[in-house]
Structures are given as structure tokens and as C-alpha cells.
Amino acid sequence: MIRSSVPANGSSSQKKIRGIQNGWFTETATMWPGQRFSLALKNYDEENSILYHKRSEFQEILIFQSAQYGKVFAIDGILQLTERDVFTFHEMMAHVPLCSHRNPERVLIVGGGDGAILREVCRHPEVTHITLVEIDPMVIEASKECLKIVPPETWDDPRLEIVHQDAAEYVEDPTNHNRFDVILADTLDPLGPAESLFEPEFYEAMHAALRPNGIVCTQGESTWIHLDLVRDLVSCCADIFDTSEYATTSIPSYPCGQIGFILARKGDGSNSRTRGCSVPVRTPAFQKDLKWYNSQMHRAAFVLPQYVKKELNAPDVNLTGRIRNVNEEEEDENGEEDDQCFLRGCTIQ
């Protein structure tokens, strides 16, 4: 976990703020070496553009007013969202899986303390219960007080239950098994406290937490710089779920302007083929209120460049049913099938 000099549970008393220098914010991250993304503060004014800067028990939280991208939210020096392009990622992450499920009554949001995913889920009248698991209460505090990218009433939706707990521990709890129709893992990059959310055990736990035909959608990184990680995640999910697919969207403020999603579906326990997520089964009644998502964008998200398809061993058409990507089951020296997931060697039940 990245440390900083900001006092825990208090505003920074020092002028120096990670990533801020000479009127600019520049990301400080190790996951995309050799490149950095910068945004100018409004009027290049550090004193008046910093809206929120505190350190919680878990991380450093920064919100500032930028010159061109509106309010910007960063955690541990890594940009999480901007007002200007937040809808591109969050509309797709929410509506692609929700519109791929015929009756998504119970939804689990992992992370998402900024409220952007929550706002999109709340648009669906079919959803009867929303559980938001955010380990850091200060993220929600900062979002309500300063970020304010969602209407205040979003946080008062009677369907909403907020749980401040480690998400991995939450989904591993047997009382949460077979409970959710859709799980949206709006996680940070696999650094510090979010590392456990990229391990096979977490995906196995999410599988157990889903009802039959349930769908998981997780943040899937960029194919431009993390294609190996994308391949490993898609392949590991193919060993755990009945379907495993990768979808993509563009977002200017994320590394390389592109981010993806891993969408995986649990079967219903029968021998029938499980439907994937590349074709929507519902059209949102609130389509006119959206800025990015529609049924055409839904389908297009699964159309991948040739170099990505080759790496993922993706079929020319996204097939429904179990997808075997990179690592097909192989026989060991004794002629027996290897049932170990190659991602940290998790055992597939």
C-alpha cells in the first residue's frame, strides 16, 4: 500500500500534495511505466482548486477542480474519475451486465464509494435491493461533501444498503452465497488494499455469491498496457464461470484512453448452454437520460481488435456457453486433467 505524509483522518497541513506541482496534477503510478497523464488545475491555482485532501486509514483522497475536466477524484495519486468523462465507464459497467440479465433484482457493488455506479444501478426499477460494499467510509464522505457527481437523493434510495467491510471478506461469507443476480466490482487497480480483489479466490467467492444465471462485471484494465493481465483474468474466469468475456470502452482520462470489463456468468446448473453478455436482453426505459450506453454500444463493446482477439484466443463471434481462452485444460504426465487455475494456482471446484 502506498504511503503518504498526510495525517490519518485529517486535512493535509502541508502544502505539498502528491501529484500536484506548479498548477498541474500528474498521476503517480507504477502500473503504466514510461507514461503519465496530467491535468491543469483551474486557473493553475493550487490554493483555491483543492477541494478535498485527507488521508483515511486506508488511502490518500484528493478532489480538485481542473481547468477542462471539471472535478477530479484521485486516490493515492491515481485518477479515479473526472466529471467530464465519468459516464463513459460507469454507464457501460452498470448497464451492460444489467441489460444482459432478464430480472436483476439484487445487485452488489464492490467499491464504488464515489456513487457513479450506484446512480446507474438506481435507474433500473427491476432492482429491488442494492448492497454497496466500500471499505473506506471517507470515500463516501468525500463524495457527498465535495465530489457531488450524483444527486444527493441517490444516497437515500430505500433499496440501498451500505456496508463498510473488506469486499473479499464480505463475498467469502457463506451467508452471502447464492444471494445476488449481478455483482459490479468497481475496484481500484491491483495495488495496496485492492490487490486481493484481483486474486482467483475473490472470483471464486463472487461465483458462490451469485444466484443461478448471475453475472459478474469487473474493472478489466487496458489492453494497451496490461494485455497479459487481461488474458489471465479472462482465462481464470473461464475456469470458474460458465462464460467469460472481455468488453471495452474509451475514456480520455484513463491510461491510453481505453479501459475494459471482464464479464462472467454463472450457469443455472443444467446442461443447457449459458448465454453470454454480448447481446442485451432488455432495453432501458430511461435510454433518453443516458449519455453513452445504448444497445448498439453494448454490442460494439465486445468487438475486439485482432491483436487482442489473438491474445485472448477469442472466437470471431462471441459464443454463448463456456468459453475456453488461453489456457485450455491440459493432461498431466499421468494423463489426468489439470484442474488448477493458473492464476496463483487456485483450485477450481
Side-chain angles (χ1 to χ4, degrees):
M1 188 163 122
I2 303 171
R3 298 292 180 184
S4 81
S5 59
V6 182
N9 300 316
S11 298
S12 172
S13 60
Q14 302 180 21
K15 187 177 180 65
K16 182 69 175 177
I17 299 176
R18 185 192 310 197
I20 301 290
Q21 187 173 7
N22 299 326
W24 287 81
F25 168 80
T26 301
E27 279 192 302
T28 55
T30 59
M31 283 195 64
W32 33 95
Q35 64 184 65
R36 290 186 176 184
F37 182 74
S38 297
L39 289 174
L41 277 61
K42 185 176 182 180
N43 299 322
Y44 303 94
D45 184 348
E46 296 180 21
E47 183 176 352
N48 295 312
S49 293
I50 304 301
L51 306 178
Y52 190 99
H53 181 227
K54 292 183 181 181
R55 180 166 188 86
S56 72
E57 176 186 352
F58 304 97
Q59 55 209 352
E60 179 183 351
I61 301 170
L62 171 67
I63 301 173
F64 66 91
Q65 189 73 40
S66 70
Q68 299 293 334
Y69 279 71
K71 291 179 183 176
V72 177
F73 178 45
I75 289 180
D76 284 337
I78 300 175
L79 189 150
Q80 302 301 313
L81 62 82
T82 78
E83 276 188 295
R84 183 174 182 177
D85 59 11
V86 60
F87 58 88
T88 65
F89 173 80
H90 293 86
E91 285 190 15
M92 293 295 282
M93 184 171 208
H95 303 312
V96 169
L98 285 169
C99 291
S100 297
H101 197 292
R102 295 192 182 279
N103 189 28
E105 293 181 329
R106 299 183 65 89
V107 176
L108 169 63
I109 302 173
V110 174
D114 51 64
I117 289 289
L118 174 62
R119 172 184 57 193
E120 301 308 321
V121 174
C122 289
R123 296 184 194 272
H124 290 260
E126 299 84 0
V127 174
T128 60
H129 188 84
I130 306 166
T131 303
L132 190 152
V133 180
E134 169 60 67
I135 193 172
D136 193 347
M138 194 176 287
V139 172
I140 295 179
E141 170 195 298
S143 300
K144 289 181 176 180
E145 290 182 7
C146 295
L147 190 59
K148 299 180 180 178
I149 60 168
V150 302
E153 58 268 24
T154 302
W155 298 104
D156 298 323
D157 193 298
R159 298 171 292 176
L160 175 63
E161 172 194 10
I162 297 176
V163 178
H164 294 301
Q165 184 181 348
D166 181 274
E169 294 178 359
Y170 181 86
V171 296
E172 288 169 1
D173 187 338
T175 62
N176 292 318
H177 289 181
N178 196 38
R179 186 178 178 191
F180 299 102
D181 298 301
V182 175
I183 299 176
L184 306 175
D186 185 15
T187 61
L188 304 177
D189 294 304
L191 298 168
E195 282 188 76
S196 63
L197 306 185
F198 282 78
E199 295 179 356
E201 292 81 4
F202 182 61
Y203 288 88
E204 291 176 326
M206 287 195 293
H207 182 275
L210 286 174
R211 291 172 167 178
N213 287 315
I215 298 170
V216 161
C217 180
T218 71
Q219 187 264 104
E221 300 296 341
S222 172
T223 58
W224 288 106
I225 46 180
H226 300 127
L227 189 53
D228 288 348
L229 175 59
V230 172
R231 178 199 62 205
D232 290 354
L233 289 172
V234 171
S235 188
C236 188
C237 283
D239 282 334
I240 299 170
F241 296 84
D242 284 61
T243 70
S244 176
E245 299 166 283
Y246 183 80
T248 183
T249 192
S250 60
I251 177 166
S253 61
Y254 281 8
C256 301
Q258 180 267 332
I259 192 73
F261 314 96
I262 309 294
L263 290 113
R265 189 169 208 145
K266 184 177 184 177
D268 60 6
S270 69
N271 292 324
S272 60
R273 176 173 288 184
T274 301
R275 182 190 185 95
C277 297
S278 60
V279 178
V281 297
R282 297 189 301 113
T283 299
F286 48 84
Q287 180 64 72
K288 63 180 178 58
D289 298 322
L290 301 179
K291 295 182 178 181
W292 191 265
Y293 176 88
N294 57 42
S295 60
Q296 292 83 10
M297 292 296 290
H298 183 131
R299 292 180 174 89
F302 293 85
V303 179
L304 303 177
Q306 189 61 31
Y307 82 96
V308 177
K309 291 173 62 177
K310 181 179 180 180
E311 187 69 19
L312 302 184
N313 194 23
D316 288 336
V317 178
N318 282 304
L319 301 176
T320 58
R322 192 170 181 83
I323 296 177
R324 284 292 180 192
N325 290 336
V326 183
N327 284 348
E328 298 287 343
E329 294 171 349
E330 297 178 352
E331 294 186 353
D332 62 17
E333 294 178 356
N334 298 320
E336 299 177 351
E337 287 186 347
D338 180 7
D339 62 353
Q340 295 287 320
C341 172
F342 67 96
L343 241 186
R344 291 183 182 261
C346 71
T347 301
I348 308 305
Q349 303 297 326

